[in-house]
């Protein structure tokens, strides 16, 4: 089990260091704001309607939501100033990321694919320690609190320089990495790669793993020390009732719940309640929390799944201590 959260530990949010625990629901992987990216592949997600997003964040707060990990890195639609404004107005803590996403979400000429690992590592480290590129000119630059990387269909197809750079940055700054997997593919290979790079397994979060609901695999990954993120609650095409929920129940009954974090991953605007027809952020309470309670899961386990597990991985000692 992870060590209990300490009030001496903090998570870096878009409004600065915030002591933990946060005492409410935390969405471990989502997308709050995505600006249009000229040159990105057609159909790339866009989330840039401020008032509907704010309204939904306020509804999330009203239903117990206290935090969101935003997984849109720089160069493919991130706007940390918008995230900071939304956080300040809604009361919801938002953690922004550095790192890189899938190639399809960038213009073909994006400099990230031409830069060496050392240069990219310096950029990622600066965004964690000094401030994100777009906010550095501001009086109070906004710092990233997590590293995002995206693995393509295979690790071999993934750009190697930014992958190596993420590992370097994670080691030097002790910052967690949220790793996009293609429906859980190559999870074992990804884990092996970062282990060989020297990254602490406690700083690795494998995302979208419920799309590969192999309980034995999840047991092995949990025992290796990584955090597994599940997020298909709103996606009937992945049969959450037949895949996600049985998998989650097995992880709970096997005492591996401290290795799981739950999320909604709403990059698709149709999943939002304010802009589409999905459950949206308020659904975190009605579609995830409520069923867990109905199944008789204890409040302490629920708090780990819906908040403390992800915060434990992001936590660092305060630089102000």
């Amino acid at each position: 089990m992870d060590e209990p959260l300490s009030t001496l530990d903090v998570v870096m949010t878009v409004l600065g260091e915030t002591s933990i625990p946060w005492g409410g629901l935390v969405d471990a992987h989502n997308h709050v704001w995505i600006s249009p990216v000229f040159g990105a592949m057609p159909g790339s997600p866009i989330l840039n309607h401020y008032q509907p997003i704010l309204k939904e964040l306020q509804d999330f707060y009203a239903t117990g939501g206290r935090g969101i990990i935003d997984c849109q890195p720089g160069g493919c639609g991130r706007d940390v100033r918008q995230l900071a404004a939304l956080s300040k107005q809604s009361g919801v803590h938002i953690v922004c990321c550095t790192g890189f996403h899938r190639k399809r979400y960038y213009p073909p000429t994006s400099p990230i694919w031409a830069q060496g690992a050392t240069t990219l590592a310096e950029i990622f480290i600066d965004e964690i320690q000094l401030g994100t590129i777009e906010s550095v000119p501001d009086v109070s630059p906004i710092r990233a609190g997590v590293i995002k990387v995206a693995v393509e269909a295979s690790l071999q197809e993934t750009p190697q320089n930014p992958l190596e750079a993420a590992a370097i940055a994670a080691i030097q700054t002790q910052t967690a990495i949220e790793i996009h997997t293609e429906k859980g593919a190559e999870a074992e290979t990804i884990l092996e790669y970062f282990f060989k790079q020297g990254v602490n397994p406690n700083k690795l979060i494998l995302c979208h793993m419920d799309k590969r609901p192999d309980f034995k695999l999840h047991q092995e990954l949990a025992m290796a020390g990584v955090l597994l993120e599940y997020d298909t609650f709103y996606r009937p095409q992945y049969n959450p009732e037949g895949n996600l929920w049985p998998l989650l129940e097995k992880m709970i009954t096997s005492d591996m719940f401290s290795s799981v974090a739950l999320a909604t991953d709403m990059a698709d605007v149709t999943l939002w309640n304010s802009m589409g027809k999905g459950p949206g952020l308020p659904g975190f309470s009605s579609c995830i929390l409520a069923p867990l309670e109905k199944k008789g899961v204890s409040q302490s386990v629920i708090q780990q799944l819906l908040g403390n597990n992800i915060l434990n991985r992001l936590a660092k000692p305060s630089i102000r201590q």
Side-chain angles (χ1 to χ4, degrees), residues 73-308:
C76 61
R78 183 187 69 190
D79 189 329
V80 297
R81 294 188 182 101
Q82 295 283 16
L83 294 178
L86 288 163
S87 178
K88 188 173 183 178
Q89 284 194 267
S90 68
V92 176
H93 299 301
I94 299 177
V95 177
C96 73
C97 69
T98 188
F100 70 101
H101 211 325
R102 295 187 64 196
K103 291 180 286 186
R104 64 179 290 117
Y105 300 132
Y106 295 81
T109 56
S110 175
I112 191 170
W113 313 125
Q115 292 171 311
T118 301
T119 299
L120 287 170
E122 291 173 353
I123 292 172
F124 297 164
I125 291 168
D126 283 349
E127 290 210 310
I128 293 164
Q129 296 182 337
L130 302 177
T132 52
I133 289 173
E134 66 266 38
S135 73
V136 165
D138 299 346
V139 174
S140 299
I142 296 166
R143 295 166 56 191
V146 68
I147 301 167
K148 160 74 174 281
V149 307
V151 175
E152 301 286 348
S154 71
L155 196 66
Q156 188 175 6
E157 295 174 56
T158 305
Q160 296 298 299
N161 285 347
L163 201 61
E164 181 182 346
I168 294 169
I171 293 168
Q172 291 194 19
T173 65
Q174 290 302 295
T175 298
I177 308 176
E178 287 221 18
I179 305 164
H180 166 93
T181 68
E182 282 293 290
K183 302 178 183 178
E186 300 249 315
E188 306 94 322
T189 307
I190 294 166
L191 186 58
E192 182 181 4
Y193 172 86
F194 283 107
F195 278 8
K196 286 183 177 179
Q197 295 291 324
V199 180
N200 186 331
N202 189 54
K203 292 298 181 183
L204 296 174
I205 302 154
L206 289 172
C207 300
H208 321 311
M209 287 303 299
D210 50 318
K211 295 178 182 178
R212 186 181 171 189
D214 180 339
F215 175 60
K216 184 178 179 181
L217 170 65
H218 287 235
Q219 275 188 312
E220 293 172 352
L221 293 171
M223 291 175 66
V226 303
L227 186 65
L228 307 172
E229 182 261 308
Y230 301 168
D231 57 33
T232 60
F233 295 96
Y234 300 170
R235 293 172 171 82
Q237 67 268 35
Y238 293 109
N239 187 18
E241 291 301 324
N243 291 321
L244 187 162
W245 281 105
L247 172 65
L248 179 56
E249 289 178 31
K250 287 180 182 177
M251 294 296 284
I252 292 171
T253 56
S254 300
D255 287 333
M256 293 193 171
F257 49 83
S258 62
S259 297
V260 177
L262 306 182
T264 59
D265 187 23
M266 300 193 303
D268 185 343
V269 70
T270 64
L271 297 175
W272 286 69
N273 187 256
S274 58
M275 297 175 284
K277 296 182 179 180
L281 289 174
F284 203 85
S285 175
S286 60
C287 299
I288 304 176
L289 170 62
L292 286 169
E293 292 177 331
K294 188 175 181 179
K295 292 175 186 293
V297 179
S298 71
Q299 286 300 314
S300 62
V301 171
I302 289 174
Q303 188 57 55
Q304 289 192 61
L305 293 168
L306 303 186
N308 289 0

Side-chain angles (χ1 to χ4, degrees), residues 5 9-14 16-20 22 69 93-95 145-146 310-316:
L5 292 170
D9 288 334
V10 298
V11 170
M12 180 58 67
T13 76
V14 293
E17 285 186 348
T18 307
S19 297
I20 53 176
W22 290 349
I69 316 307
H93 299 301
I94 299 177
V95 177
V146 68
I310 185 64
L311 293 179
N312 260 320
R313 303 301 174 116
L314 271 55
K316 296 181 183 181

